[in-house]
Amino acid sequence: MAKELTPQEMLRIDLTPPNKDWMDIPTVIKPGIYCYPAKPEKVEIVGMPNPHVWSPLDDDWGLPEDWKETFLEGMRERLNKHRSFKIFMDICVRCGACADKCHFFLGSGDPKNMPVARAELIRSVYRGEFTKAGKILGRLAGGRKITEDVLKEIWYYMFQCTECRRCSLFCPYGIDTAEVTIIGRELINLFGLNINWIQEPVANCYETGNHLGLLPHTFKQNIEFMCMDIEDFVGVTIEPPFNKKGAEILFVTPSGDVFADPGIYTLMGYLLLFEHIGLDYTWSTYASEGGNFGFFTSLDMAQRLNAKIYAEAKRLGVKWILGGECGHMWRVVHQYMNTFNGPPEFLEEPVNPLTGTKFENAKSAKMIHISEFTADLIKHGKLKLNPKRNDHLKVTYHDSCNPSRGMGMFEEPRYIINNVCNNFYEMPENTIREQTFCCGSGAGLNAGENMELRLRGGLPRANAVKYVHERFGVNMLSCVCAIDRAVLPASMEYWVPDVNVCGVSELVGNALIMEGEHDRPTDLRGEEIPGFAKAEGEEEVTEDV
Amino acid sequence: MGRNLHKGLREILVHKKGPIVEKWRELIHKSYPPETAQFLKREKDRFSNPIGSSIEDSIWPLFDQLIGEADPSTTKKLLDNLVRVRAVQDFTPASAVQIIFALKQIVRKEVLPAAQKKGLLREYLEFESEIDRFGLLAFDVFMECRERVWEIKRNDLLKRPYLLAGGMCPSYMMKRGIKHLEKLKKEITQH
């Protein structure tokens, strides 16, 4: 698709793009926007169809001969299986309410990134191939046939949607474009056309239990390394339990917290919290991933990868499950897990062992969010906190899409932040809570090669951060999602360079007053805290003084 | 910059500032596809329209910089605000910065006849050169932005191998991450 420009073309600098119908504007696939294709061996590991080597810039994508039949059959099957998909194909009146709500449209200015237009890429095929009007009238009825170019266009734009569902909030019919993307990606996966940034974590997760493919001993060792850091920075020795049978609670978090900066500091926050309250819990080196990149591949794959959580809870004989800070993990847990692999009759309704609070919201799925748990502990005065340790931070909170729009969790993280920090500033109303803007890199788009896309998608969020940074001096962007923590630093580096990113539990960890702690001049990152650092020349206080 | 602008010409430019900048805004909006241009014009909320607000926030003070006492750091900051967004969008480098040079077309229509009447052609041409200088500065900014994107990409790539290396403990490596990155960067520069 990419071609060398002729000298004449090079000299032509068009300032005004053509005014044509969207179907007449060919999609040009550009580096910086797409992610690298899935490696065949990673497709093969999980038994998905048509593993092969291909490139989005080639004309030939290595499609099987009967690909059109497979595509149409796949679409027919999904139209019958998912009532929502069928309805979403039929009822859109193209009112445009969603058009300007997508971060990718707002950041790129590309009209095909208007949610209505992105869904229309598939909807037009539905009309052209499945409806009478579309079959007879074709383009007059907004229909078109599936061709290789159409498939390529669908591929390009299905990976320019982070399934954040902001658009669905504004749709008067409740059309959830994320579900259209989910089905669109399922169709793409019928031909081995996934992106590697999703496929490899899926294969890793299938083989070792987590996206990074960390083996049990590495997973354990990693957390133990963080305990060594805690010993240095806090002076408390923590020996976290792994695969402990009969523990009351199983704790599952995205593996991003185990290996990636700044997620590891959030994990140190969890470790300190559990130690602080003497929780009877366990880590699992098998259910070592809360995230689920299967969800960005197909619903079947999401189900397969999700199964390990309940299976491990059963094997270890825990009462209920506590989940760490993650985004899409909570969409899966909150809206799919219970029917994917549950309901888990062998588990009990979650009850906070320290406060007695029953989490009725998780009565069926038996899994609650760490922020719900922490907020409950604070509310009942179970945590000793010194928020002054976070005084050097001016914090704002980014509502991660899935915990906010996907499960309605708005207050708990704010309640926690207000208790562990003294300087909290909200971003503008139309950029938070239900209306939060995506980080721009969710749904498996957090690769490096598509950085231009990520920066475009990150613009609306960064624009709001920039506002509170300039107005209040905000220097810390907190969130409850591992992908946010992994990708927002790059976005901030480009758009608002003086703002750092952290998890809410990191702020908790810094504020917790631990029993037996020594002087803590630094935070969990090992960075000196102003006002807590020893003055120059000051002697270290020894025990016998 | 702008310091030597002829008083008479400045008066005309100040007088015409409104229509000039409004037309300039429209021209920048139209560098996007028609549906997008409409949206950029329509939506006034700065958080619902980050591209539009970056344009709006930049062009008015930029014009002031052109016709007044230009402060280099302010000019660069304003150009950055305008160009940073375009540097990651579907523009070629030329079409990303052309919006500055295109201001000349507008000023020519709005100001040149009046300037000629007053015998200020030479001063007018000097003012156009000033726009050219802003255009070149915009190209500097564009390149800085692109270099930044590549730096961010490079850092991402440099981090990945040791994070993904099976035998290594990532947090152990993380502790040595900065040194490790520096070493890798050094190697890259040397080869």
Side-chain angles (χ1 to χ4, degrees), chain A residues 141-162:
Chain A
R144 62 176 177 172
K145 298 284 177 196
I146 182 77
T147 64
E148 276 197 37
D149 281 345
V150 170
L151 181 71
K152 287 173 183 178
E153 187 176 49
I154 290 174
W155 179 86
Y156 194 48
Y157 284 98
M158 288 304 114
F159 292 108
Q160 292 189 49
C161 167
T162 47

Side-chain angles (χ1 to χ4, degrees), chain B residues 67-78:
Chain B
I67 61 173
E69 297 283 322
D71 165 51
S73 67
T74 311
T75 305
K76 200 170 172 199
K77 203 179 156 196
L78 293 166

